[in-house]
Amino acid sequence: MSGFDSLIQRYITVWNETDTAARRRSVEQVWAPGARYIDPLVVAQGHDAIDATIHAVQAQFPGLVMRLAGPVDAHHDQARFTWALGPPNGEPLVIGFDVVERDRNG
């Protein structure tokens, strides 16, 4: 899968990181400087906006964690995956999917 499994796991880890400084470092490692995160409620471009979005989601859903909820479907430089958000040892409260695109640096 050309490294997508590892990239997606790092992506999910960023969403679960509650230490502000560690999360920011991870955002900078996973997202390109001008990257965009888009969902129905937000368009966040750049590290500052993506980090702020993750912080806001964590504040809205305290104590919940994101986890991979199935295989990563990838080809070329794009991947789609299903995630689940819920208590660490419980049933998911939200299930969704994201699509990522790698730049030439991975």
Side-chain angles (χ1 to χ4, degrees):
M1 193 143 329
S2 303
F4 265 115
D5 289 325
S6 173
L7 177 62
I8 300 309
Q9 190 54 56
R10 288 173 44 219
Y11 175 94
I12 288 174
T13 298
V14 173
W15 282 90
N16 291 328
E17 180 58 67
T18 55
D19 178 272
T20 304
R23 183 182 61 240
R24 178 54 186 243
R25 284 189 303 273
S26 295
V27 165
E28 291 175 1
Q29 292 170 355
V30 173
W31 277 273
R36 291 183 303 154
Y37 172 80
I38 302 170
D39 76 14
L41 301 176
V42 69
V43 175
Q45 184 161 1
H47 293 152
D48 290 343
I50 292 169
D51 188 32
T53 297
I54 294 170
H55 176 77
V57 169
Q58 291 175 348
Q60 185 176 2
F61 300 104
L64 301 185
V65 295
M66 180 185 279
R67 57 186 175 264
L68 190 61
V72 176
D73 179 25
H75 62 84
H76 295 87
D77 285 321
Q78 298 179 343
R80 175 184 60 192
F81 60 96
T82 302
W83 51 262
L85 182 71
N89 297 313
E91 291 295 315
L93 303 175
V94 179
I95 297 174
F97 75 93
D98 283 358
V99 175
V100 298
E101 183 175 6
R102 287 189 302 205
D103 65 11
R104 58 186 100 116
N105 297 320

CSV table of all heavy atoms in Angstrom, one decimal, residues 35-85:
chain,number,residue,atom,x,y,z
A,35,ALA,N,-1.5,22.4,3.5
A,35,ALA,CA,-2.6,21.3,3.4
A,35,ALA,C,-3.9,21.9,3.9
A,35,ALA,O,-4.0,22.8,4.6
A,35,ALA,CB,-2.2,20.1,4.2
A,36,ARG,N,-5.0,21.3,3.3
A,36,ARG,CA,-6.3,21.6,3.7
A,36,ARG,C,-7.0,20.4,4.4
A,36,ARG,O,-6.9,19.3,3.9
A,36,ARG,CB,-7.2,22.1,2.5
A,36,ARG,CG,-6.7,23.4,2.0
A,36,ARG,CD,-7.6,23.9,0.9
A,36,ARG,NE,-7.6,22.8,-0.2
A,36,ARG,CZ,-8.6,22.7,-1.1
A,36,ARG,NH1,-9.7,23.5,-1.0
A,36,ARG,NH2,-8.6,21.8,-2.0
A,37,TYR,N,-7.8,20.7,5.4
A,37,TYR,CA,-8.7,19.7,6.0
A,37,TYR,C,-10.1,20.2,5.8
A,37,TYR,O,-10.4,21.4,6.2
A,37,TYR,CB,-8.4,19.5,7.5
A,37,TYR,CG,-9.5,18.6,8.1
A,37,TYR,CD1,-9.4,17.3,8.0
A,37,TYR,CD2,-10.6,19.2,8.8
A,37,TYR,CE1,-10.4,16.5,8.6
A,37,TYR,CE2,-11.6,18.4,9.3
A,37,TYR,CZ,-11.5,17.0,9.2
A,37,TYR,OH,-12.5,16.3,9.7
A,38,ILE,N,-11.0,19.5,5.1
A,38,ILE,CA,-12.3,19.9,4.8
A,38,ILE,C,-13.3,18.9,5.3
A,38,ILE,O,-13.2,17.7,5.0
A,38,ILE,CB,-12.5,20.1,3.3
A,38,ILE,CG1,-11.4,21.1,2.8
A,38,ILE,CG2,-13.9,20.6,2.9
A,38,ILE,CD1,-11.3,21.2,1.2
A,39,ASP,N,-14.3,19.4,6.0
A,39,ASP,CA,-15.5,18.5,6.3
A,39,ASP,C,-16.7,19.4,6.2
A,39,ASP,O,-16.6,20.6,5.9
A,39,ASP,CB,-15.3,17.8,7.6
A,39,ASP,CG,-15.5,18.7,8.9
A,39,ASP,OD1,-16.0,19.8,8.8
A,39,ASP,OD2,-15.1,18.2,10.0
A,40,PRO,N,-17.9,18.9,6.5
A,40,PRO,CA,-19.1,19.7,6.3
A,40,PRO,C,-19.1,21.0,7.2
A,40,PRO,O,-19.8,21.9,6.9
A,40,PRO,CB,-20.2,18.8,6.7
A,40,PRO,CG,-19.7,17.4,6.4
A,40,PRO,CD,-18.2,17.5,6.7
A,41,LEU,N,-18.4,21.0,8.3
A,41,LEU,CA,-18.4,22.1,9.2
A,41,LEU,C,-17.3,23.1,9.2
A,41,LEU,O,-17.3,24.1,9.7
A,41,LEU,CB,-18.6,21.6,10.6
A,41,LEU,CG,-19.8,20.7,10.9
A,41,LEU,CD1,-19.8,20.2,12.3
A,41,LEU,CD2,-21.1,21.4,10.6
A,42,VAL,N,-16.2,22.7,8.5
A,42,VAL,CA,-15.0,23.5,8.5
A,42,VAL,C,-14.1,23.3,7.3
A,42,VAL,O,-14.1,22.2,6.7
A,42,VAL,CB,-14.1,23.2,9.8
A,42,VAL,CG1,-13.5,21.8,9.7
A,42,VAL,CG2,-13.0,24.2,10.0
A,43,VAL,N,-13.5,24.4,6.9
A,43,VAL,CA,-12.4,24.3,5.9
A,43,VAL,C,-11.2,24.9,6.7
A,43,VAL,O,-11.2,26.1,7.0
A,43,VAL,CB,-12.7,25.1,4.6
A,43,VAL,CG1,-11.5,25.1,3.7
A,43,VAL,CG2,-13.9,24.5,3.9
A,44,ALA,N,-10.2,24.1,6.9
A,44,ALA,CA,-9.0,24.5,7.6
A,44,ALA,C,-7.8,24.4,6.7
A,44,ALA,O,-7.5,23.3,6.2
A,44,ALA,CB,-8.8,23.7,8.9
A,45,GLN,N,-7.1,25.5,6.5
A,45,GLN,CA,-5.9,25.4,5.6
A,45,GLN,C,-4.7,25.8,6.4
A,45,GLN,O,-4.7,26.9,7.0
A,45,GLN,CB,-6.0,26.2,4.4
A,45,GLN,CG,-4.9,26.1,3.4
A,45,GLN,CD,-5.2,26.6,2.0
A,45,GLN,OE1,-6.2,27.0,1.7
A,45,GLN,NE2,-4.2,26.4,1.2
A,46,GLY,N,-3.6,25.0,6.3
A,46,GLY,CA,-2.4,25.3,7.0
A,46,GLY,C,-2.3,24.7,8.4
A,46,GLY,O,-3.3,24.3,9.0
A,47,HIS,N,-1.1,24.6,9.0
A,47,HIS,CA,-0.9,24.0,10.2
A,47,HIS,C,-1.7,24.6,11.4
A,47,HIS,O,-2.3,23.9,12.2
A,47,HIS,CB,0.6,24.0,10.6
A,47,HIS,CG,1.4,23.1,9.7
A,47,HIS,ND1,2.7,23.3,9.4
A,47,HIS,CD2,1.0,22.0,9.0
A,47,HIS,CE1,3.1,22.4,8.6
A,47,HIS,NE2,2.2,21.6,8.3
A,48,ASP,N,-1.7,25.9,11.4
A,48,ASP,CA,-2.5,26.6,12.5
A,48,ASP,C,-3.9,26.2,12.5
A,48,ASP,O,-4.5,25.9,13.6
A,48,ASP,CB,-2.3,28.1,12.4
A,48,ASP,CG,-0.9,28.6,12.7
A,48,ASP,OD1,-0.1,27.9,13.3
A,48,ASP,OD2,-0.6,29.8,12.4
A,49,ALA,N,-4.5,26.3,11.4
A,49,ALA,CA,-6.0,26.1,11.3
A,49,ALA,C,-6.3,24.6,11.5
A,49,ALA,O,-7.3,24.2,12.2
A,49,ALA,CB,-6.5,26.5,9.9
A,50,ILE,N,-5.5,23.7,11.0
A,50,ILE,CA,-5.7,22.3,11.2
A,50,ILE,C,-5.6,21.9,12.7
A,50,ILE,O,-6.4,21.2,13.3
A,50,ILE,CB,-4.8,21.4,10.3
A,50,ILE,CG1,-5.2,21.6,8.9
A,50,ILE,CG2,-4.8,19.9,10.8
A,50,ILE,CD1,-4.2,21.0,7.9
A,51,ASP,N,-4.5,22.5,13.3
A,51,ASP,CA,-4.3,22.2,14.8
A,51,ASP,C,-5.5,22.8,15.6
A,51,ASP,O,-6.0,22.1,16.5
A,51,ASP,CB,-3.0,22.9,15.2
A,51,ASP,CG,-2.6,22.5,16.6
A,51,ASP,OD1,-2.9,21.4,17.1
A,51,ASP,OD2,-2.0,23.3,17.3
A,52,ALA,N,-6.0,24.0,15.2
A,52,ALA,CA,-7.1,24.5,15.9
A,52,ALA,C,-8.4,23.7,15.7
A,52,ALA,O,-9.2,23.6,16.7
A,52,ALA,CB,-7.3,26.0,15.4
A,53,THR,N,-8.5,23.2,14.6
A,53,THR,CA,-9.7,22.3,14.3
A,53,THR,C,-9.7,21.1,15.2
A,53,THR,O,-10.7,20.7,15.8
A,53,THR,CB,-9.8,21.9,12.8
A,53,THR,OG1,-9.9,23.1,12.0
A,53,THR,CG2,-10.9,21.0,12.5
A,54,ILE,N,-8.5,20.4,15.2
A,54,ILE,CA,-8.4,19.2,16.0
A,54,ILE,C,-8.6,19.5,17.5
A,54,ILE,O,-9.4,18.8,18.2
A,54,ILE,CB,-7.0,18.6,15.8
A,54,ILE,CG1,-6.9,18.0,14.4
A,54,ILE,CG2,-6.8,17.4,16.8
A,54,ILE,CD1,-5.5,17.6,14.0
A,55,HIS,N,-8.1,20.6,18.0
A,55,HIS,CA,-8.3,21.1,19.4
A,55,HIS,C,-9.8,21.3,19.6
A,55,HIS,O,-10.3,20.9,20.7
A,55,HIS,CB,-7.5,22.4,19.6
A,55,HIS,CG,-7.8,22.9,21.0
A,55,HIS,ND1,-7.2,22.4,22.1
A,55,HIS,CD2,-8.6,23.9,21.4
A,55,HIS,CE1,-7.7,23.0,23.2
A,55,HIS,NE2,-8.5,24.0,22.8
A,56,ALA,N,-10.5,21.9,18.7
A,56,ALA,CA,-11.9,22.2,18.8
A,56,ALA,C,-12.7,20.9,18.9
A,56,ALA,O,-13.7,20.8,19.7
A,56,ALA,CB,-12.4,23.1,17.7
A,57,VAL,N,-12.4,19.9,18.1
A,57,VAL,CA,-13.1,18.6,18.1
A,57,VAL,C,-12.8,17.9,19.4
A,57,VAL,O,-13.8,17.4,20.0
A,57,VAL,CB,-12.6,17.7,16.9
A,57,VAL,CG1,-13.1,16.3,17.0
A,57,VAL,CG2,-13.1,18.3,15.6
A,58,GLN,N,-11.6,18.0,19.9
A,58,GLN,CA,-11.3,17.4,21.2
A,58,GLN,C,-12.1,18.0,22.3
A,58,GLN,O,-12.6,17.4,23.2
A,58,GLN,CB,-9.8,17.4,21.5
A,58,GLN,CG,-9.0,16.5,20.6
A,58,GLN,CD,-7.5,16.7,20.8
A,58,GLN,OE1,-7.1,17.6,21.5
A,58,GLN,NE2,-6.8,15.8,20.3
A,59,ALA,N,-12.3,19.3,22.2
A,59,ALA,CA,-13.1,20.1,23.3
A,59,ALA,C,-14.5,19.7,23.2
A,59,ALA,O,-15.2,19.7,24.2
A,59,ALA,CB,-12.8,21.6,23.1
A,60,GLN,N,-15.0,19.5,22.0
A,60,GLN,CA,-16.4,19.2,21.8
A,60,GLN,C,-16.7,17.7,22.2
A,60,GLN,O,-17.9,17.4,22.6
A,60,GLN,CB,-16.8,19.4,20.3
A,60,GLN,CG,-18.3,19.2,20.0
A,60,GLN,CD,-18.7,19.4,18.6
A,60,GLN,OE1,-17.8,19.8,17.8
A,60,GLN,NE2,-19.9,19.3,18.3
A,61,PHE,N,-15.8,16.8,22.1
A,61,PHE,CA,-15.9,15.4,22.4
A,61,PHE,C,-14.9,15.0,23.4
A,61,PHE,O,-14.1,14.1,23.1
A,61,PHE,CB,-15.9,14.6,21.1
A,61,PHE,CG,-16.9,15.0,20.1
A,61,PHE,CD1,-16.6,15.7,19.0
A,61,PHE,CD2,-18.2,14.6,20.2
A,61,PHE,CE1,-17.5,16.0,18.0
A,61,PHE,CE2,-19.2,14.9,19.3
A,61,PHE,CZ,-18.8,15.7,18.2
A,62,PRO,N,-14.9,15.5,24.6
A,62,PRO,CA,-13.8,15.2,25.5
A,62,PRO,C,-13.8,13.7,25.9
A,62,PRO,O,-14.9,13.1,26.1
A,62,PRO,CB,-14.1,16.0,26.7
A,62,PRO,CG,-15.5,16.4,26.6
A,62,PRO,CD,-15.8,16.4,25.2
A,63,GLY,N,-12.6,13.1,26.0
A,63,GLY,CA,-12.5,11.7,26.4
A,63,GLY,C,-12.8,10.7,25.3
A,63,GLY,O,-12.5,9.5,25.5
A,64,LEU,N,-13.2,11.1,24.1
A,64,LEU,CA,-13.5,10.2,23.0
A,64,LEU,C,-12.2,10.1,22.2
A,64,LEU,O,-11.4,11.0,22.1
A,64,LEU,CB,-14.6,10.7,22.1
A,64,LEU,CG,-16.0,10.8,22.8
A,64,LEU,CD1,-17.0,11.2,21.8
A,64,LEU,CD2,-16.3,9.6,23.6
A,65,VAL,N,-12.0,8.9,21.6
A,65,VAL,CA,-10.8,8.7,20.8
A,65,VAL,C,-11.2,8.2,19.4
A,65,VAL,O,-12.3,7.6,19.2
A,65,VAL,CB,-9.9,7.7,21.4
A,65,VAL,CG1,-9.3,8.2,22.7
A,65,VAL,CG2,-10.6,6.3,21.6
A,66,MET,N,-10.4,8.6,18.4
A,66,MET,CA,-10.6,8.1,17.0
A,66,MET,C,-9.8,6.9,16.8
A,66,MET,O,-8.7,6.7,17.3
A,66,MET,CB,-10.1,9.2,16.1
A,66,MET,CG,-10.3,8.9,14.6
A,66,MET,SD,-9.6,10.1,13.5
A,66,MET,CE,-10.9,11.3,13.5
A,67,ARG,N,-10.4,5.9,16.1
A,67,ARG,CA,-9.6,4.7,15.7
A,67,ARG,C,-10.0,4.3,14.3
A,67,ARG,O,-11.1,4.7,13.8
A,67,ARG,CB,-9.9,3.6,16.7
A,67,ARG,CG,-11.3,3.2,16.9
A,67,ARG,CD,-11.4,2.2,18.0
A,67,ARG,NE,-12.8,1.9,18.3
A,67,ARG,CZ,-13.5,2.4,19.3
A,67,ARG,NH1,-13.0,3.4,20.1
A,67,ARG,NH2,-14.7,2.1,19.5
A,68,LEU,N,-9.1,3.6,13.6
A,68,LEU,CA,-9.4,3.1,12.3
A,68,LEU,C,-10.4,2.1,12.4
A,68,LEU,O,-10.4,1.2,13.3
A,68,LEU,CB,-8.1,2.5,11.7
A,68,LEU,CG,-8.0,2.2,10.3
A,68,LEU,CD1,-8.3,3.4,9.4
A,68,LEU,CD2,-6.7,1.5,9.9
A,69,ALA,N,-11.4,2.1,11.5
A,69,ALA,CA,-12.6,1.2,11.6
A,69,ALA,C,-12.7,0.3,10.3
A,69,ALA,O,-13.8,-0.1,10.0
A,69,ALA,CB,-13.9,2.0,11.7
A,70,GLY,N,-11.6,0.1,9.7
A,70,GLY,CA,-11.6,-0.8,8.5
A,70,GLY,C,-10.3,-0.6,7.8
A,70,GLY,O,-9.4,0.1,8.2
A,71,PRO,N,-10.2,-1.3,6.7
A,71,PRO,CA,-8.9,-1.2,5.9
A,71,PRO,C,-8.8,0.1,5.2
A,71,PRO,O,-9.8,0.8,4.9
A,71,PRO,CB,-9.1,-2.4,4.9
A,71,PRO,CG,-10.6,-2.6,4.7
A,71,PRO,CD,-11.1,-2.2,6.1
A,72,VAL,N,-7.6,0.4,4.8
A,72,VAL,CA,-7.3,1.6,4.1
A,72,VAL,C,-7.4,1.3,2.6
A,72,VAL,O,-6.8,0.3,2.1
A,72,VAL,CB,-5.9,2.2,4.4
A,72,VAL,CG1,-5.5,3.4,3.5
A,72,VAL,CG2,-5.8,2.5,5.9
A,73,ASP,N,-8.2,2.0,1.9
A,73,ASP,CA,-8.4,1.8,0.4
A,73,ASP,C,-7.6,2.8,-0.3
A,73,ASP,O,-7.9,4.0,-0.2
A,73,ASP,CB,-9.9,1.9,0.1
A,73,ASP,CG,-10.2,1.7,-1.4
A,73,ASP,OD1,-9.4,1.1,-2.1
A,73,ASP,OD2,-11.2,2.2,-1.8
A,74,ALA,N,-6.5,2.4,-1.0
A,74,ALA,CA,-5.6,3.4,-1.6
A,74,ALA,C,-5.2,3.0,-3.0
A,74,ALA,O,-5.1,1.8,-3.3
A,74,ALA,CB,-4.4,3.6,-0.7
A,75,HIS,N,-4.9,4.0,-3.8
A,75,HIS,CA,-4.3,3.8,-5.1
A,75,HIS,C,-3.6,5.2,-5.4
A,75,HIS,O,-4.1,6.2,-5.0
A,75,HIS,CB,-5.2,3.3,-6.2
A,75,HIS,CG,-6.3,4.2,-6.5
A,75,HIS,ND1,-6.2,5.3,-7.4
A,75,HIS,CD2,-7.6,4.3,-6.0
A,75,HIS,CE1,-7.4,5.9,-7.4
A,75,HIS,NE2,-8.2,5.3,-6.6
A,76,HIS,N,-2.6,5.1,-6.2
A,76,HIS,CA,-1.8,6.3,-6.6
A,76,HIS,C,-1.5,7.1,-5.4
A,76,HIS,O,-0.9,6.5,-4.4
A,76,HIS,CB,-2.6,7.1,-7.7
A,76,HIS,CG,-2.7,6.3,-9.0
A,76,HIS,ND1,-3.8,5.5,-9.2
A,76,HIS,CD2,-1.9,6.3,-10.0
A,76,HIS,CE1,-3.6,4.9,-10.4
A,76,HIS,NE2,-2.5,5.4,-10.9
A,77,ASP,N,-1.8,8.3,-5.3
A,77,ASP,CA,-1.5,9.1,-4.1
A,77,ASP,C,-2.7,9.5,-3.3
A,77,ASP,O,-2.7,10.5,-2.6
A,77,ASP,CB,-0.7,10.4,-4.5
A,77,ASP,CG,0.7,10.0,-4.9
A,77,ASP,OD1,1.3,9.2,-4.2
A,77,ASP,OD2,1.2,10.6,-5.9
A,78,GLN,N,-3.8,8.7,-3.4
A,78,GLN,CA,-5.0,9.0,-2.6
A,78,GLN,C,-5.4,7.7,-1.8
A,78,GLN,O,-5.2,6.6,-2.2
A,78,GLN,CB,-6.1,9.4,-3.5
A,78,GLN,CG,-5.8,10.6,-4.3
A,78,GLN,CD,-7.0,11.0,-5.2
A,78,GLN,OE1,-7.8,10.2,-5.5
A,78,GLN,NE2,-7.0,12.2,-5.6
A,79,ALA,N,-6.0,8.0,-0.7
A,79,ALA,CA,-6.5,6.9,0.2
A,79,ALA,C,-7.8,7.3,0.8
A,79,ALA,O,-8.0,8.5,1.1
A,79,ALA,CB,-5.5,6.5,1.2
A,80,ARG,N,-8.7,6.4,1.1
A,80,ARG,CA,-9.9,6.6,1.8
A,80,ARG,C,-9.9,5.6,2.9
A,80,ARG,O,-9.5,4.4,2.8
A,80,ARG,CB,-11.1,6.3,0.8
A,80,ARG,CG,-12.4,6.4,1.5
A,80,ARG,CD,-13.5,6.0,0.5
A,80,ARG,NE,-13.3,4.7,0.0
A,80,ARG,CZ,-13.9,4.1,-1.0
A,80,ARG,NH1,-14.8,4.8,-1.7
A,80,ARG,NH2,-13.7,2.9,-1.4
A,81,PHE,N,-10.4,6.0,4.1
A,81,PHE,CA,-10.5,5.1,5.2
A,81,PHE,C,-11.7,5.5,6.1
A,81,PHE,O,-12.1,6.6,6.1
A,81,PHE,CB,-9.2,5.1,6.0
A,81,PHE,CG,-8.8,6.5,6.5
A,81,PHE,CD1,-9.2,6.8,7.8
A,81,PHE,CD2,-8.2,7.4,5.8
A,81,PHE,CE1,-8.8,8.0,8.3
A,81,PHE,CE2,-7.8,8.6,6.2
A,81,PHE,CZ,-8.2,9.0,7.5
A,82,THR,N,-12.2,4.5,6.8
A,82,THR,CA,-13.3,4.7,7.7
A,82,THR,C,-12.7,4.8,9.1
A,82,THR,O,-11.8,4.0,9.5
A,82,THR,CB,-14.3,3.5,7.7
A,82,THR,OG1,-14.8,3.5,6.3
A,82,THR,CG2,-15.5,3.8,8.6
A,83,TRP,N,-13.2,5.8,9.9
A,83,TRP,CA,-12.8,5.9,11.3
A,83,TRP,C,-14.0,5.9,12.2
A,83,TRP,O,-15.1,6.1,11.7
A,83,TRP,CB,-12.0,7.2,11.5
A,83,TRP,CG,-12.7,8.5,10.9
A,83,TRP,CD1,-12.5,9.1,9.7
A,83,TRP,CD2,-13.8,9.2,11.5
A,83,TRP,NE1,-13.3,10.1,9.6
A,83,TRP,CE2,-14.1,10.3,10.7
A,83,TRP,CE3,-14.5,9.1,12.8
A,83,TRP,CZ2,-15.1,11.2,11.0
A,83,TRP,CZ3,-15.5,10.0,13.1
A,83,TRP,CH2,-15.8,11.1,12.2
A,84,ALA,N,-13.8,5.6,13.4
A,84,ALA,CA,-14.8,5.6,14.5
A,84,ALA,C,-14.4,6.5,15.6
A,84,ALA,O,-13.2,6.5,16.0
A,84,ALA,CB,-15.1,4.2,14.9
A,85,LEU,N,-15.3,7.2,16.2
A,85,LEU,CA,-15.0,8.1,17.4
A,85,LEU,C,-15.9,7.6,18.5
A,85,LEU,O,-17.1,7.5,18.3
A,85,LEU,CB,-15.3,9.5,17.0
A,85,LEU,CG,-15.0,10.6,18.1
A,85,LEU,CD1,-13.5,10.7,18.3
A,85,LEU,CD2,-15.6,11.9,17.7
